[in-house]
Amino acid sequence: MLTDLHGILAPNSRRTSGTGMGGRIQVIEFDNPLRSLTRTISGSHVLYLYEDLRHYIDSAAAYALTCLNQGHRILIIENDYCKKAIERKLAESWIDERLEHVHFVDNFDFYQKHGEFQGCLTRKHFESIMRPFLEEEISIRTWAHIQWKPQPHIEAKLEEFEVMADCSVKEQNLISVCAYDAKAISASLQTSLMRSHEYLMTDREFIVSGLYRNPNSERVIHPSMALQEKLLLEHKQLLIDKEAAERANRAKDEFIATMNHEIRTPMNGVLGMADLLAETTLDGDQAAYVEIIRKSGSSLLQIVNDILDFSKIGSVRESSPEEPVHIRDCVAEVADLLQAARLGKDLALDVNIEDDVPETLLGDPHPIRQILFNLLGNAIKFTQRGSISIEVSLLPGSEEGRSRLRFRIADSGAGIPRAHWRKVFQPFYQVDGGLSRGAEGTGLGLAISKKLVERMNGQIGIEPSPNGGTTIAFTVELGEFPSRARPGGSSNGPQAEA
Ligand code: ADP
């Protein structure tokens, strides 16, 4: 990755004389801005986005020399390759015992040992390097070359880390230069770093960052054309990716809709014929075969339905209708739909809707029914004996005019081991692959429920069940219904007189 350093040692500098920490000192004035930088600002974390390694080495050496000239020590955190180049440059420019005051640390071992970037560890590491100097109150300046592999998740951590580092540089009144290879990090990381660093260097200039704590990006002047170009390219790429994703999404939707139709039609034919066949006179074996055809056909249809639901929620978000939602009716309807399955296993159902849950709220009742259907369906499917309960309670909404409901569905069944609590909400995930539990399913019910819940500003998760079984709770946010009168519900409550 490093460019050829051949020729770097021809210094772009001129020698003058001056005084520093005493004794004969050769001061090198470089044709770059670091000299004024180190003389004037204390408590500064300077961001250096370099594009050219030759300039980078020049700048590092110039910085070190100016710091030495001003009576500071200098700590350079650098890889071996750059370290040697900087050393050569210093040795050529400054023939003086004060070169002892230049300290190098190679972070390579530290990087290797920790693999993944971790802000806190890196900060601790830096503090441990600095401690001896600070304890002895030795004035020191730092220069750090940040070289983590540019991966998106690391970039986010770097951003946090730099904000943290900025605070500690200010607290300790240090001057610290933090250098990044501008080609190796994204333009968005560059701009966000510029927001958190007041002073900014490029290979050619030292300036006050145009973005520093400036929330209005329209007024921002980007300091380098190369960065602007990079931003434009990234933006263009994002648009291309977005369009490609949308096209792929449309193609996927069409494919699923077609497959749905193509599978459903013949499957309904098979099931219809199997029903008719079951009504004819069959011997024992034949009846068993027909039953297998019917069962397999229904599970195949269920799978098709689940996949279709899942992919529909994944595609472009359509806005949800705002219509009256009668919570008690939703619960009752779902309980009715699953009554046969529940009674088939002799499971009791206990429904408790707290009194302060409004009769009517505003929102989309369909996803609520679907989530309840999935969760109650699972509770019945995975419970062999005992009971199931549904509780609904009211929580305050995130803003005025909104209400939050919490649903809790608990069963006395097999339970879900804690290690799987998060995973079961991933698509197609089944505990034990669903096989050893002898239950059918696609592993999509909870993933669909999670997406629907999140669309309603809610959360879903598994709660501990002290007596065994499974408890799944979810919240949804709905609008408050403006009038107290209940429109068009089927409750037996008093009707308003005309
Ligand atoms: P499916 O039920 O179709 O397999 P889900 O996404 O609804 O898919 O559930 C994923 C997995 O979570 C199930 O396969 C099962 O292992 C586990 N699970 C869900 N609900 C329960 C429950 N009430 N009791 C025990 N296990 C459950």
Side-chain angles (χ1 to χ4, degrees):
M1 184 180 95
L2 299 176
T3 56
D4 183 11
L5 286 181
H6 185 71
I8 250 177
L9 296 180
N12 180 20
S13 61
R14 51 183 186 274
R15 286 168 192 241
T16 61
S17 61
T19 53
M21 297 187 297
R24 191 183 66 81
I25 294 175
Q26 279 198 296
V27 178
I28 311 300
E29 268 189 32
F30 280 78
D31 291 339
N32 81 27
L34 285 169
R35 196 171 151 71
S36 63
L37 153 70
T38 49
R39 186 181 291 142
T40 51
I41 310 143
S42 243
S44 297
H45 197 200
V46 180
L47 172 69
Y48 178 10
L49 295 169
Y50 71 88
E51 290 179 19
D52 181 321
L53 199 63
R54 292 161 61 101
H55 280 122
Y56 172 80
I57 302 291
D58 261 358
S59 300
Y63 177 77
L65 288 170
T66 315
C67 294
L68 291 172
N69 185 34
Q70 291 169 353
H72 308 289
R73 291 194 184 214
I74 163 88
L75 172 70
I76 300 181
I77 302 172
E78 193 47 278
N79 61 48
D80 195 48
Y81 195 84
C82 291
K83 174 196 165 199
K84 286 192 176 124
I86 296 167
E87 263 178 345
R88 281 201 300 270
K89 189 125 196 150
L90 288 175
E92 180 179 277
S93 314
W94 184 298
I95 307 152
D96 190 273
E97 74 282 359
R98 246 159 241 96
L99 278 183
E100 288 168 14
H101 295 156
V102 183
H103 305 270
F104 281 98
V105 169
D106 187 346
N107 262 356
F108 187 73
D109 283 349
F110 175 75
Y111 284 15
Q112 287 289 95
K113 196 161 118 202
H114 294 284
E116 177 90 334
F117 177 81
Q118 293 177 48
C120 287
L121 282 180
T122 310
R123 187 186 177 175
K124 276 196 193 133
H125 178 65
F126 180 69
E127 283 170 357
S128 71
I129 297 169
M130 292 294 284
R131 195 168 301 120
F133 299 104
L134 297 177
E135 275 172 7
E136 292 192 28
E137 296 187 4
I138 293 170
S139 174
I140 184 150
R141 305 294 197 217
T142 65
W143 176 283
H145 190 181
I146 312 289
Q147 301 161 87
W148 295 94
K149 269 200 198 126
Q151 290 166 9
H153 68 288
I154 295 208
E155 288 209 342
K157 288 184 183 176
L158 281 173
E159 205 177 320
E160 267 173 38
F161 170 72
E162 287 297 343
V163 172
M164 194 162 79
D166 197 54
C167 295
S168 74
V169 165
K170 288 204 164 77
E171 260 166 37
Q172 297 177 34
N173 218 24
L174 291 169
I175 290 183
S176 170
V177 177
C178 209
Y180 282 87
D181 178 353
K183 293 192 284 310
I185 59 172
S186 69
S188 47
L189 176 61
Q190 290 183 48
T191 44
S192 80
L193 287 173
M194 285 180 202
R195 284 184 195 282
S196 54
H197 287 69
E198 187 173 2
Y199 298 105
L200 185 66
M201 275 181 63
T202 66
D203 289 333
R204 310 215 172 270
E205 52 184 350
F206 169 64
I207 48 176
V208 172
S209 167
L211 297 179
Y212 182 60
R213 290 193 189 148
N214 183 351
N216 184 357
S217 55
E218 279 168 24
R219 283 194 283 125
V220 152
I221 306 153
H222 296 295
S224 100
M225 282 306 291
L227 174 60
Q228 291 192 44
E229 221 169 85
K230 198 166 179 183
L231 273 172
L232 277 176
L233 280 176
E234 272 178 26
H235 193 70
K236 197 168 144 196
Q237 193 56 46
L238 277 179
L239 286 177
I240 293 170
D241 293 350
K242 187 168 168 259
E243 204 190 310
E246 280 171 2
R247 222 178 303 129
N249 232 353
R250 274 198 300 275
K252 184 192 78 182
D253 287 352
E254 273 165 31
F255 173 76
I256 297 227
T258 317
M259 285 314 287
N260 176 42
H261 178 76
E262 298 296 318
I263 296 173
R264 255 171 208 273
T265 314
M267 215 50 231
N268 279 325
V270 171
L271 283 176
M273 287 301 120
D275 279 348
L276 289 179
L277 195 56
E279 282 166 21
T280 61
T281 319
L282 301 170
D283 66 28
D285 281 351
Q286 288 168 331
Y289 298 152
V290 171
E291 193 47 31
I292 292 171
I293 297 175
R294 281 168 62 171
K295 273 198 173 157
S296 312
S298 328
S299 24
L300 185 55
L301 267 187
Q302 183 58 45
I303 292 170
V304 172
N305 284 342
D306 278 359
I307 292 178
L308 187 70
D309 281 345
F310 186 71
S311 82
K312 257 199 294 196
I313 310 169
S315 58
V316 186
R317 190 187 170 133
E318 72 276 352
S319 57
S320 308
E322 285 275 288
E323 57 186 78
V325 181
H326 308 305
I327 295 301
R328 289 170 176 78
D329 288 355
C330 284
V331 175
E333 281 161 23
V334 173
D336 281 352
L337 274 175
L338 291 167
Q339 187 170 357
R342 179 173 62 81
L343 294 180
K345 290 172 126 181
D346 210 11
L347 300 170
L349 176 66
D350 182 20
V351 177
N352 177 19
I353 301 178
E354 286 181 8
D355 291 343
D356 58 352
V357 171
E359 278 297 318
T360 313
L361 287 160
L362 264 187
D364 186 357
H366 303 289
I368 299 180
R369 273 195 224 110
Q370 191 175 352
I371 301 163
L372 284 172
F373 186 86
N374 290 349
L375 298 188
L376 187 59
N378 276 350
I380 295 169
K381 191 159 70 172
F382 295 105
T383 305
Q384 300 318 321
R385 69 184 68 84
S387 63
I388 294 165
S389 68
I390 302 178
E391 281 171 30
V392 189
S393 55
L394 182 69
L395 307 171
S398 60
E399 53 189 81
E400 219 188 293
R402 310 286 298 165
S403 294
R404 196 167 270 269
L405 293 181
R406 183 174 51 216
F407 294 78
R408 196 179 267 134
I409 291 91
D411 63 56
S412 57
I416 302 177
R418 198 175 261 269
H420 299 267
W421 280 12
R422 270 173 179 276
K423 294 182 192 154
V424 287
F425 292 97
Q426 293 167 5
F428 303 107
Y429 190 89
Q430 295 180 307
V431 179
D432 304 329
L435 292 176
S436 57
R437 301 179 151 217
E440 291 165 357
T442 53
L444 281 174
L446 292 181
I448 291 172
S449 305
K450 184 168 188 290
K451 281 194 181 187
L452 293 173
V453 161
E454 283 167 359
R455 279 203 170 183
M456 288 184 287
N457 253 348
Q459 288 176 328
I460 186 166
I462 300 179
E463 293 185 350
S465 312
N467 302 322
T470 301
T471 305
I472 300 192
F474 69 95
T475 57
V476 290
E477 193 167 84
L478 295 163
E480 279 168 14
F481 195 72
S483 140
R484 285 186 163 269
R486 190 194 143 146
S490 60
S491 105
N492 298 327
Q495 300 290 311
E497 273 183 321

